[in-house]
Amino acid sequence: MKQAVEQLKEQFLNDLQDVYSSDGLQQVRDTYFSRKSGRITLLMRQLGKLSPEERKEAGRLVNELRDFAESLFAERQQALRLQDEARRAESERLDVTLPGRRIKPGSEHPIVRVKQRIEDIFVSMGYSVEDGPEIDTTFYNFDALNIPVGHPARESQDTFYIDSELALRSQTSNIQIHAMQKRRPPIRIIAPGKVFRRDNPDPTHNPMFFQVEGLNVAEGIHMGHLKGTLQIFLEKLFSQSVRLRFRPSYFPFVEPGAETDFSCIFCKAESDCRVCKGVGWIELGGSGMVHPNVLSACGIDPKKYSGFAFGFGIDRMTAMLYGVDDIRNFFSGDLRFLEQF
Ligand code: PHE
């Protein structure tokens, strides 16, 4: 009996040592302690078959074994539980000292930034910023602007039509008309906004781009005011003195009309100038004195009032200011490009 107890003890110790999980523990419990077939249970049952003298000594040994095995088992169970808890705590551990993921701050689109600079300058000169519809009727897009039926600007090769009456505006000049209908002179507004033309995209064209329109209607307004206004605007924008020149041109809604150029701010007419190509002048846009027909169409007496208007592209201005050689980049939505600003 004594030998059987010793052997069992040794086996139990071995088995317990190999236990690393609660499944393993359960197996050891079944093998040694189960009521029906546990090996220690069976050994105790054998005690009944012994003589009273033998039973006394053997009973002590078996009881000792059982107590010893039970306490060791409990210890192991506790150790495994602690180990499990430690492992779980480790896997769920949060390092509160780790820096958080930064949300990248966005930035203003370069066109928006230049648009705001333009607005600020004109506001400081007494202009207000006016908005207008991007989809407008042929009256505002053409008729009221003195653009006759048959003029190429009305053709569908140039203009995106929604139906025979509605089109995406191809210039911000429609806002002139809305403003003159709403207000009485003196009217001093600028109108920045999107315009749409059926152009094929290339480095200097995009079917959607930004223009700003200016309008100043009051008594006694003349070309000198136009020239002075644009010159002061450009000097504020570029923080240096510029000269301005008019080249006679035709826009149906102004008379006289002019293309407006300003002296190159990047060079002194050097032949390798990236911007003016050595000409010394940079084209700004169209301008002129508001046509009497346009004033009349808006209920403003052209005998009493006169006005000037001008328009230029914000995207090209932005491209020039930042040295961007393809305006399509502005509309690509490519963060690698936009992050540079
Ligand atoms: N709207 C004209 C253009 O898109 C520019 C312009 C505006 C010309 C105002 C004269 C007066 O080219």
Side-chain angles (χ1 to χ4, degrees):
M1 191 58 158
K2 187 169 178 179
Q3 216 182 341
V5 168
E6 282 302 322
Q7 257 180 16
L8 200 55
K9 184 174 171 182
E10 209 161 299
Q11 268 178 10
F12 173 78
L13 284 174
N14 273 340
D15 284 355
L16 197 64
Q17 216 169 29
D18 291 342
V19 165
Y20 297 104
S21 66
S22 54
D23 280 355
L25 266 183
Q26 186 59 42
Q27 222 170 348
V28 170
R29 178 185 281 140
D30 290 345
T31 311
Y32 291 91
F33 305 116
S34 109
R35 283 222 215 146
K36 264 197 199 146
S37 56
R39 295 173 71 177
I40 294 178
T41 322
L42 292 179
L43 203 60
M44 293 187 88
R45 242 175 246 162
Q46 281 177 20
L47 290 174
K49 294 185 198 137
L50 298 176
S51 65
E53 303 88 71
E54 283 174 321
R55 197 188 301 156
K56 199 173 168 206
E57 174 62 5
R60 195 179 54 79
L61 284 175
V62 177
N63 275 336
E64 257 176 31
L65 170 65
R66 192 198 53 204
D67 291 349
F68 172 78
E70 275 179 0
S71 77
L72 229 59
F73 184 87
E75 252 173 49
R76 187 88 187 134
Q77 196 172 31
Q78 174 70 0
L80 275 178
R81 192 178 301 138
L82 289 178
Q83 220 175 52
D84 276 358
E85 271 169 23
R87 206 174 294 140
R88 187 167 347 108
E90 179 59 28
S91 74
E92 290 172 2
R93 192 168 67 101
L94 289 181
D95 183 351
V96 292
T97 66
L98 271 181
R101 278 193 207 115
R102 274 185 201 287
I103 297 173
K104 272 196 190 170
S107 60
E108 280 162 343
H109 193 282
I111 289 180
V112 171
R113 199 173 294 172
V114 171
K115 179 176 101 109
Q116 278 169 358
R117 259 173 81 188
I118 294 170
E119 288 175 6
D120 286 349
I121 294 171
F122 278 105
V123 166
S124 78
M125 292 163 79
Y127 286 69
S128 55
V129 179
E130 187 84 14
D131 206 2
E134 289 172 8
I135 299 173
D136 219 342
T137 62
T138 45
F139 174 78
Y140 289 98
N141 277 331
F142 306 120
D143 298 326
L145 285 166
N146 203 32
I147 301 174
V149 174
H151 189 281
R154 290 183 84 127
E155 300 304 316
S156 55
Q157 298 105 284
D158 291 325
T159 301
F160 291 108
Y161 278 90
I162 301 220
D163 56 33
S164 59
E165 251 307 288
L166 286 174
L168 299 181
R169 67 181 179 205
S170 57
Q171 51 183 358
T172 38
S173 304
N174 66 327
I175 304 175
Q176 282 189 32
I177 308 301
H178 287 285
M180 284 192 282
Q181 284 183 334
K182 268 190 296 198
R183 302 166 187 233
R184 295 295 90 189
I187 300 168
R188 236 173 266 125
I189 58 142
I190 56 156
K194 281 180 192 160
V195 299
F196 308 85
R197 291 185 193 174
R198 296 186 71 152
D199 281 333
N200 286 325
D202 69 24
T204 53
H205 294 86
N206 198 63
M208 184 281 294
F209 59 102
F210 288 80
Q211 264 193 350
V212 58
E213 182 94 0
L215 177 72
N216 186 339
V217 180
E219 280 181 62
I221 295 288
H222 54 71
M223 287 288 276
H225 295 121
L226 169 62
K227 193 170 184 185
T229 301
L230 288 176
Q231 182 163 357
I232 290 171
F233 159 69
L234 290 166
E235 290 186 342
K236 287 191 176 201
L237 184 66
F238 299 128
S239 306
Q240 58 175 282
S241 60
V242 295
R243 281 174 300 126
L244 209 74
R245 76 172 183 188
F246 288 135
R247 282 179 289 122
S249 186
Y250 174 70
F251 300 94
F253 37 93
V254 287
E255 180 58 37
E259 287 290 352
T260 319
D261 301 334
F262 58 97
S263 50
C264 183
I265 48 164
F266 299 99
C267 75
K268 299 281 167 277
E270 291 144 14
S271 59
D272 58 351
C273 176
R274 180 180 59 79
V275 180
C276 76
K277 310 277 185 282
V279 176
W281 295 97
I282 298 171
E283 194 178 308
L284 177 66
S287 66
M289 299 305 294
V290 181
H291 197 291
N293 289 353
V294 175
L295 293 174
S296 300
C298 301
I300 292 174
D301 181 2
K303 292 205 182 72
K304 186 164 180 211
Y305 297 104
S306 56
F308 67 70
F310 59 85
F312 59 87
I314 304 177
D315 336 54
R316 285 190 192 173
M317 183 71 84
T318 309
M320 193 174 69
L321 283 169
Y322 290 112
V324 171
D325 51 18
D326 189 335
I327 64 162
R328 289 172 296 185
N329 284 318
F330 289 132
F331 310 113
S332 65
D334 188 337
L335 288 180
R336 289 167 307 177
F337 172 76
L338 294 171
E339 272 167 358
Q340 301 174 72
F341 298 92

